[in-house]
Amino acid sequence: MASMENALADAMSTIEGVIGIALVDHTSGMTLAALGGSNSLDMEVAAAGNTDLVRAKLRTMEMLELQGSIEDMLITLTSQYHLLRPVTGRHGAGLFLYLVLDRKRANLALARHRLARVEEVLEV
């Protein structure tokens, strides 16, 4: 198991094209840990804003009585990919990983795979 900081640092160093990554509590919108970002991308503000997306999807799944869980959510911008991945471990209830990628440099399939690995080793 890896601590929050170590897991995020590992993602920053192993995922091609990563701009930033955060671990977020979607019940409160608070960022528990974050790395990266840029002058034009405040990871804490972006993560807090995306909690509404996660909440809305969870609420919709509940209303529709859909079985299963969210593996990840993808937001495609002209220059970036934003991946949101709920943490499914027993201590991760209410948390999600938020990954921002440079669209020109990232391999989306590989980034999804590596983000899943980060979730597996994450110790909250």
Side-chain angles (χ1 to χ4, degrees):
M1 290 297 210
S3 71
M4 286 185 278
E5 293 79 15
N6 289 341
L8 298 186
D10 184 52
M12 288 292 293
S13 66
T14 61
I15 299 175
E16 184 79 24
V18 67
I19 295 170
I21 186 167
L23 180 64
V24 186
D25 179 342
H26 72 72
T27 58
S28 67
M30 293 196 60
T31 300
L32 303 178
L35 290 174
S38 66
N39 290 338
S40 62
L41 178 66
D42 182 322
M43 288 301 294
E44 290 193 19
V45 172
N50 280 295
T51 61
D52 291 334
L53 220 60
V54 174
R55 286 184 205 145
K57 187 58 186 174
L58 290 170
R59 196 170 43 251
T60 301
M61 289 177 66
E62 186 178 322
M63 287 187 301
L64 295 173
E65 298 179 1
L66 295 175
Q67 301 303 308
S69 59
I70 299 169
E71 188 172 318
D72 60 36
M73 298 167 63
L74 171 64
I75 302 161
T76 305
L77 304 177
T78 54
S79 63
Q80 297 174 345
Y81 293 123
H82 292 225
L83 276 172
L84 297 86
R85 183 178 184 85
V87 177
T88 58
R90 65 181 184 150
H91 298 294
L95 303 179
F96 70 94
L97 287 163
Y98 173 50
L99 180 69
V100 180
L101 301 163
D102 178 326
R103 190 170 169 170
K104 290 181 182 174
R105 296 182 18 240
N107 177 323
L108 184 56
L110 191 53
R112 289 183 69 225
H113 176 73
R114 290 204 172 131
L115 190 60
R117 297 284 301 150
V118 169
E119 181 206 352
E120 286 176 8
V121 301
L122 183 65
E123 183 178 295
V124 182

